[in-house]
Amino acid sequence: MPNFDLQATLDRIQPVSAQRLSEIQARIDRQAKPVGSLGRLEEFARRYVAISGREDIRAKRVYTFAGDHGVVAEGVSAFPQEVTPQMVYNFVDGGASINALARHAGAEVLVVDMGVACEFDELPGLLRRKVAKGTANFTRGPAMTGEQALQSLQTGIELAAQAKKEQIDLLGTGDMGIGNTTPSAAIAASFCDLLPAQVTHRGTGIDDETLQRKISAVAAGLMINKPDPSDPLDVLTKVGGFEIGGIAGLVLGCAAEGIPVVIDGFISTAGALLASELHPNVRDYIFAGHQSVEIGHQHMLARIGQQPMLDLGLRLGEGTGGALAMTLLEASLQVLREVLTFAEAGVSAGEDQ
Amino acid sequence: MPNFDLQATLDRIQPVSAQRLSEIQARIDRQAKPVGSLGRLEEFARRYVAISGREDIRAKRVYTFAGDHGVVAEGVSAFPQEVTPQMVYNFVDGGASINALARHAGAEVLVVDMGVACEFDELPGLLRRKVAKGTANFTRGPAMTGEQALQSLQTGIELAAQAKKEQIDLLGTGDMGIGNTTPSAAIAASFCDLLPAQVTHRGTGIDDETLQRKISAVAAGLMINKPDPSDPLDVLTKVGGFEIGGIAGLVLGCAAEGIPVVIDGFISTAGALLASELHPNVRDYIFAGHQSVEIGHQHMLARIGQQPMLDLGLRLGEGTGGALAMTLLEASLQVLREVLTFAEAGVSAGEDQ
């Protein structure tokens, strides 16, 4: 593992400037519309500009992090583990849902192999950053070593830095990994102090019997490993996943580099929550793409302190909800840039102006 | 008024084919993702294709209907009536929020003068279809005559037919009219059988005192005119507005022509509700763009039977929420067209496939 200092990254994370936020809102308030009438679009624009110092998006990218999970041995998923690499090939070939939605949003998709349980040849669009071929089964012991947890964080941090160099102004997170709602539920239970049954749900669409096994697996993982929520690295090590660590690192890196990041659903939010627990200012850089169907998702978003941008009953992952939400962020900036003020448009102000 | 038979339009409205809807869903279910995992995106695509017979959108247009309201004499708005024509000029010049959001969505904006209280010269992008220079104050008697109500409906129906000829595949509705949340609240109260205070809200941002006057105005309009909710034309005549009638006509026309229509917020929904009450199958053609902040909005959407696509705290009108929602519809079609099936992608199906 290369030399790496997590603390150096955390030390670079600044709060988003309250003064900049109110300067941008003051400018929005002069535009020819009732004050506040574009609701959350105003928030999106305000926050994006305050974070990035820009009013446009030169380029967007979704990093879809892939990894496998030892806990699938407990029978927690409706799909076999071979689907993880099959979907990686589908992403690289451009045939998956994230590809269609990223094309719609004008975003590039890069797939990051964080820990798929197979070897990949070199492929365009695939970043080979494998930490190991899948995590260990966390119902028997820690999912990974502390070094592996750090390595997965570091990978995400480095990808954010690379994106910054390439003038990518907006990043999205995505995930692929059969079984990965199970570690995400364990992370949600740890940080939100909830019972496994309160945060464990149907993932890709499991039946009642599988759901019971999944809840038991989350409970066993928490009981055997006793992750310490005051130590996010311990949580990642004991009940996390390599792709979840990569997402957490990317979100940390975005906060350090000043890049707004749109997170996807349940798994991405588990990663973003890990990052937020490592440094409280991280949450100001996060745009919560959507509200997932997964019951544990709302609790993690509440702890991060961000409201979802969309609520469309999605439960796919890959980065799909985040890519879709990128278009709302772009719309909010187009309003900021193009709408005339009351004075410019020759419109009489109301009583509240 | 040209010869016009509302019944002929109503007679052309067909239910959306349940068989087509299930054929499209079956195709979606073969795509390489867990069944149903794209939630409402699947609904949007399914319904758009079943209505239009197309899988793409060749062109999109927002009709923003403008009109003035005699009821502003009761002091119900935070803005003076002169803002209606000022904003019409702003729309035509491309400097308003709807212009920015329509450009983002790739939609054209056409402004329809249904009843602004001034004369407009010929302007590109402005359709002069004035019924009268503002409605009468409905706290003293009917807002318009029955002939004017029919004329406003007819105007909207004709615009839908024109769009069909021009191969516009997706329409959006918008409104501009100082005071127009007041007749919209009266329409909501009539059809939803609610009290004025349950459906009357702050519009552009009025204070408590103005809100009380507005509730009183709605109550007076209902008491004096006694609109009959079983006769939607009577409701439009007595407590409606010319731009609301235009929107209702456009929505009816869309249902007759087989054009999916994305409605905006409170005022557009009042128009869409009038159309739905004229013919129950109309609701199948309506995409509810967003949930407005206005408290009466949810009741009208519930009666129409459509869920909002977005919930972003918008309360602007103009067609803004509808334009924004058009991008979600377009995204849903891109997924339908471009995502490979399990077989094509070489991905193993899950237990539910």
Side-chain angles (χ1 to χ4, degrees):
Chain A
M1 201 177 81
N3 182 33
F4 168 61
D5 188 356
L6 174 61
Q7 194 56 49
T9 298
L10 295 175
D11 288 346
R12 292 172 58 206
I13 297 173
Q14 301 295 319
V16 176
S17 161
Q19 194 191 325
R20 288 216 56 168
L21 287 166
S22 51
E23 283 166 6
I24 299 155
Q25 186 62 49
R27 181 173 146 207
I28 292 171
D29 290 347
R30 290 192 292 275
Q31 292 183 310
K33 58 189 181 54
V35 165
S37 58
L38 280 180
R40 296 201 59 205
L41 280 193
E42 301 184 11
E43 173 215 323
F44 303 155
R46 187 171 71 224
R47 209 143 58 85
Y48 176 90
V49 177
I51 292 169
S52 68
R54 301 191 63 85
E55 296 183 3
D56 63 349
I57 308 175
R58 287 173 299 184
K60 316 180 192 81
R61 178 180 290 169
V62 177
Y63 283 113
T64 299
F65 294 86
D68 274 314
H69 298 271
V71 73
V72 295
E74 304 300 312
V76 294
S77 179
F79 284 84
Q81 195 174 54
E82 69 204 36
V83 167
T84 306
Q86 287 169 347
M87 285 303 296
V88 166
Y89 287 116
N90 197 13
F91 296 149
V92 169
D93 291 342
S97 302
I98 183 55
N99 303 104
L101 289 172
R103 281 189 290 265
H104 176 259
E108 174 189 28
V109 176
L110 290 181
V111 186
V112 192
D113 173 17
M114 294 296 298
V116 182
C118 73
E119 290 293 343
F120 288 110
D121 290 335
E122 203 168 308
L123 286 168
L126 177 66
L127 305 178
R128 297 188 296 176
R129 300 285 190 279
K130 200 188 297 289
V131 179
K133 287 185 182 173
T135 55
N137 181 345
F138 71 45
T139 66
R140 313 285 172 91
M144 64 185 84
T145 67
E147 285 208 342
Q148 288 175 329
L150 274 172
Q151 187 183 342
S152 64
L153 286 178
Q154 175 184 16
T155 301
I157 291 170
E158 287 174 357
L159 292 174
Q162 181 64 29
K164 183 75 173 183
K165 274 188 210 137
E166 295 176 48
Q167 307 190 322
I168 311 293
D169 295 325
L170 183 63
L171 287 178
T173 69
D175 70 284
M176 181 67 222
I178 294 303
N180 68 7
T181 54
T182 303
S184 301
I187 290 167
S190 295
F191 289 121
C192 303
D193 197 19
L194 292 166
L195 296 171
Q198 292 174 296
V199 292
T200 307
H201 205 184
R202 295 188 187 268
T204 52
I206 54 177
D207 58 23
D208 289 348
E209 197 183 324
T210 309
L211 178 58
Q212 286 312 312
R213 281 200 301 271
K214 186 173 170 181
I215 292 170
S216 300
V218 171
L222 295 172
M223 194 181 66
I224 285 165
N225 292 293
K226 297 188 177 44
D228 174 4
S230 71
D231 179 1
L233 260 173
D234 189 61
V235 176
L236 175 58
T237 302
K238 289 175 171 167
V239 297
F242 299 131
E243 80 278 46
I244 297 172
I247 291 165
L250 188 82
V251 172
L252 280 179
C254 284
E257 302 288 349
I259 305 173
V261 57
V262 186
I263 62 172
D264 190 27
F266 193 56
I267 292 94
S268 282
T269 302
L273 180 55
L274 277 163
S276 299
E277 298 288 331
L278 281 164
H279 195 303
N281 289 337
V282 166
R283 60 198 68 203
D284 298 338
Y285 295 82
I286 295 171
F287 290 81
H290 78 109
Q291 177 67 60
S292 163
V293 170
E294 285 286 310
I295 56 171
H297 191 215
Q298 58 179 321
H299 302 295
M300 291 197 284
L301 285 180
R303 191 161 169 94
I304 290 174
Q306 293 294 349
Q307 298 283 325
M309 299 167 75
L310 289 163
D311 186 0
L312 295 172
L314 308 181
R315 52 180 174 81
L316 177 54
E318 302 181 2
T320 48
L324 208 52
M326 281 180 169
T327 66
L328 298 181
L329 223 166
E330 186 136 61
S332 78
L333 294 173
Q334 192 148 358
V335 169
L336 179 74
R337 290 193 307 267
E338 298 181 3
V339 174
L340 301 181
T341 63
F342 281 100
E344 287 167 343
V347 173
S348 308
E351 289 158 9
D352 59 343
Q353 307 297 318
Chain B
M1 202 178 79
N3 183 33
F4 168 62
D5 188 357
L6 175 61
Q7 194 57 49
T9 298
L10 295 175
D11 288 346
R12 291 173 58 207
I13 297 173
Q14 301 296 320
V16 176
S17 160
Q19 193 191 326
R20 288 218 55 171
L21 287 167
S22 52
E23 283 165 5
I24 300 154
Q25 186 62 48
R27 181 172 146 207
I28 292 171
D29 290 348
R30 289 192 293 275
Q31 290 183 310
K33 57 187 181 56
V35 166
S37 59
L38 280 180
R40 297 200 58 205
L41 280 193
E42 301 184 10
E43 173 214 321
F44 303 155
R46 188 172 68 224
R47 208 143 58 86
Y48 176 90
V49 177
I51 292 169
S52 68
R54 301 191 63 85
E55 296 183 5
D56 63 350
I57 308 176
R58 287 172 299 183
K60 318 180 192 79
R61 178 180 289 168
V62 176
Y63 283 113
T64 298
F65 294 87
D68 275 313
H69 298 271
V71 73
V72 295
E74 304 300 312
V76 294
S77 179
F79 283 85
Q81 194 174 55
E82 69 205 35
V83 168
T84 307
Q86 288 168 347
M87 285 301 298
V88 166
Y89 287 115
N90 197 14
F91 297 149
V92 169
D93 291 343
S97 301
I98 183 55
N99 303 103
L101 289 172
R103 281 189 290 265
H104 176 259
E108 174 189 28
V109 177
L110 291 180
V111 186
V112 192
D113 173 17
M114 295 295 298
V116 183
C118 73
E119 290 294 344
F120 288 109
D121 289 335
E122 203 167 309
L123 286 168
L126 177 66
L127 305 178
R128 296 189 295 175
R129 300 286 190 279
K130 201 188 296 287
V131 179
K133 288 186 181 173
T135 54
N137 181 346
F138 71 44
T139 67
R140 313 287 172 89
M144 63 184 84
T145 66
E147 284 208 342
Q148 288 175 328
L150 274 172
Q151 187 183 341
S152 64
L153 285 178
Q154 175 184 18
T155 300
I157 291 170
E158 287 173 357
L159 292 174
Q162 182 63 30
K164 183 76 175 183
K165 273 188 210 138
E166 295 176 49
Q167 306 191 321
I168 311 291
D169 294 324
L170 182 63
L171 287 177
T173 68
D175 70 284
M176 180 68 222
I178 295 303
N180 68 5
T181 53
T182 303
S184 300
I187 291 167
S190 295
F191 288 120
C192 303
D193 197 19
L194 292 166
L195 296 171
Q198 294 174 295
V199 293
T200 307
H201 205 184
R202 295 186 188 270
T204 52
I206 55 177
D207 59 21
D208 290 348
E209 198 183 325
T210 309
L211 178 58
Q212 286 311 314
R213 281 200 301 272
K214 186 172 169 181
I215 293 170
S216 300
V218 171
L222 295 172
M223 194 181 65
I224 285 165
N225 292 295
K226 297 187 177 46
D228 174 4
S230 71
D231 178 0
L233 260 174
D234 188 60
V235 176
L236 175 58
T237 302
K238 288 176 171 166
V239 297
F242 299 131
E243 80 279 46
I244 297 171
I247 291 166
L250 188 80
V251 172
L252 280 179
C254 284
E257 302 288 349
I259 305 174
V261 58
V262 186
I263 62 171
D264 190 25
F266 192 56
I267 292 93
S268 281
T269 304
L273 180 54
L274 277 163
S276 300
E277 298 288 330
L278 282 163
H279 195 303
N281 289 337
V282 166
R283 60 198 68 203
D284 298 338
Y285 294 82
I286 295 171
F287 290 82
H290 77 109
Q291 177 66 60
S292 164
V293 170
E294 286 285 310
I295 56 171
H297 191 214
Q298 59 181 321
H299 302 296
M300 292 197 285
L301 284 180
R303 191 161 169 95
I304 290 174
Q306 291 295 347
Q307 297 285 322
M309 298 167 77
L310 290 162
D311 185 0
L312 295 171
L314 309 181
R315 51 180 174 81
L316 177 55
E318 303 181 0
T320 48
L324 208 52
M326 282 179 169
T327 66
L328 298 181
L329 223 166
E330 185 137 62
S332 78
L333 294 173
Q334 192 148 359
V335 169
L336 179 73
R337 291 192 306 266
E338 298 182 3
V339 174
L340 301 181
T341 62
F342 281 99
E344 288 166 342
V347 173
S348 309
E351 288 159 9
D352 59 343
Q353 308 297 318

